[in-house]
Amino acid sequence: NTLKMSTNLMASMNKLANYSEVAASIYGLGREMERAGLIQELVDDALDSTMSDVENEVDAEIDRVIREVTEGMFESVEPTPTFTPNAPSQEQIAETGKTILLQSFESVERQPMAVA
């Protein structure tokens, strides 16, 4: 009896849902979504291009205004002194290297040699 009820239910469902219509609807929906995606991509590209141009114009205008406002403001300001450390000369480097080598040799000479 349960099997017969299940069969009747399946038959009723098949009558309600025409699979070819459902498949056609799904296919149409997919195509519309694809078109919408392509259109959205074109709109995004156009907006990005336009916004890039607008941003460049805004940046140029900001730079112009800043130059105009600050014109002459910094002419009386003394330049900031810079510190450049004195690098050791080649002779100082060579002398330091010699000193390190001599100290190393002296410490080796002071150590007793192991007898095998």
Side-chain angles (χ1 to χ4, degrees), residues 16-29:
L16 287 175
N18 186 350
Y19 289 111
S20 61
E21 288 178 12
V22 171
S25 295
I26 290 173
Y27 179 75
L29 179 63

Side-chain angles (χ1 to χ4, degrees), residues 76-90:
S76 63
V77 176
E78 294 289 323
T80 304
T82 57
F83 173 74
T84 52
N86 295 330
S89 67
Q90 292 295 327

